[in-house]
Amino acid sequence: MLSLGIKMPLLRRLWAAKKILLFIFILNGCSQKTAPQITFKSIAGEIIQPSNYQNDVIVVNFWSTTCVSCIQKMPKLIDTYQRFKHDNFKLFAVAMSYDRPDYVLHFTQKHQLPFYVVLDLNGTIAQQYNQVKVTPTTFLVAPNGRIIQEHIGDIDMNALTREIEKLIQSSSEKKHSTHTKNTTHSN
């Protein structure tokens, strides 16, 4: 019991309610925003043009090698990438401008990160993505380019995975439906 007379379970429920309200606020705030069209350059030297990820489900995760929760989530991000990499899915791990490039490269190699790792050397990517300043910050972008979620801080990876799955399934159904219509009209 706290000195205010509030029991811990009540505080946990209040904290959970606050997190839910913040999530809803962020979700509503992002529903009409379009993700910036950025040409990414991976630390491996790959140039990824917007046309390379158009119509894909995208996760853009801003992180740092000094961010404990970022590092803890990397295995889950790897698992998520491995699960969806063949399903019109891209994952960009954007290292913040204050992160030393040699640290990012070392971490990427040591942990064999299979997705695109991008250095935001001058902070322009973070600036274009809603002025990101806190890590981790994660964006989920639908195939139509709309930002579906912006999550600041620790993220529930199970919930993110479910959302990715829904977007991929919905995108697949739309492609199949369009293909069926085109095939029907061409006969």
Side-chain angles (χ1 to χ4, degrees):
M1 174 134 3
L2 294 173
S3 60
L4 297 175
I6 301 173
K7 293 183 179 179
M8 288 303 288
L10 176 60
L11 281 177
R12 285 190 191 108
R13 284 192 299 248
L14 289 172
W15 178 247
K18 179 182 173 187
K19 286 169 64 175
I20 290 169
L21 289 174
L22 178 62
F23 176 75
I24 291 169
F25 172 75
I26 290 171
L27 188 61
N28 287 336
C30 291
S31 62
Q32 299 304 314
K33 290 183 182 176
T34 301
Q37 295 292 300
I38 296 174
T39 298
F40 292 100
K41 183 177 180 183
S42 76
I43 60 171
E46 299 165 285
I47 305 295
I48 306 101
Q49 302 285 343
S51 60
N52 295 122
Y53 56 86
Q54 187 176 358
N55 301 319
D56 289 344
V57 174
I58 302 165
V59 169
V60 180
N61 177 260
F62 289 87
W63 70 291
S64 162
T65 58
T66 60
C67 167
V68 175
S69 63
C70 298
I71 301 307
Q72 289 173 342
K73 287 294 181 193
M74 278 300 171
K76 293 285 188 182
L77 284 173
I78 291 169
D79 291 346
T80 301
Y81 174 79
Q82 296 294 0
R83 179 174 175 184
F84 296 114
K85 69 182 178 183
H86 299 294
D87 296 320
N88 293 327
F89 174 75
K90 301 276 189 297
L91 195 151
F92 297 96
V94 181
M96 298 295 283
S97 62
Y98 53 80
D99 211 351
R100 287 184 43 176
D102 57 325
Y103 287 7
V104 175
L105 182 60
H106 175 74
F107 184 88
T108 301
Q109 291 171 341
K110 180 179 177 184
H111 297 281
Q112 300 177 353
L113 301 183
F115 40 76
Y116 296 115
V117 177
V118 178
L119 294 172
D120 190 10
L121 295 174
N122 56 10
T124 56
I125 299 171
Q127 185 178 27
Q128 290 181 49
Y129 268 94
N130 205 20
Q131 304 289 329
V132 172
K133 297 201 184 327
V134 177
T135 56
T137 297
T138 306
F139 292 86
L140 176 60
V141 181
N144 65 4
R146 298 279 185 204
I147 296 174
I148 302 300
Q149 291 181 6
E150 175 184 356
H151 192 89
I152 300 168
D154 201 15
I155 189 166
D156 178 348
M157 290 301 295
N158 292 329
L160 179 66
T161 299
R162 285 191 299 273
E163 284 302 312
I164 292 168
E165 203 166 50
K166 285 180 197 174
L167 288 169
I168 288 172
Q169 183 177 9
S170 175
S171 178
S172 252
E173 289 170 0
K174 286 179 185 175
K175 284 180 187 175
H176 179 71
S177 173
T178 303
H179 176 71
T180 303
K181 287 178 187 176
N182 291 339
T183 305
T184 305
H185 291 304
S186 63
N187 290 334

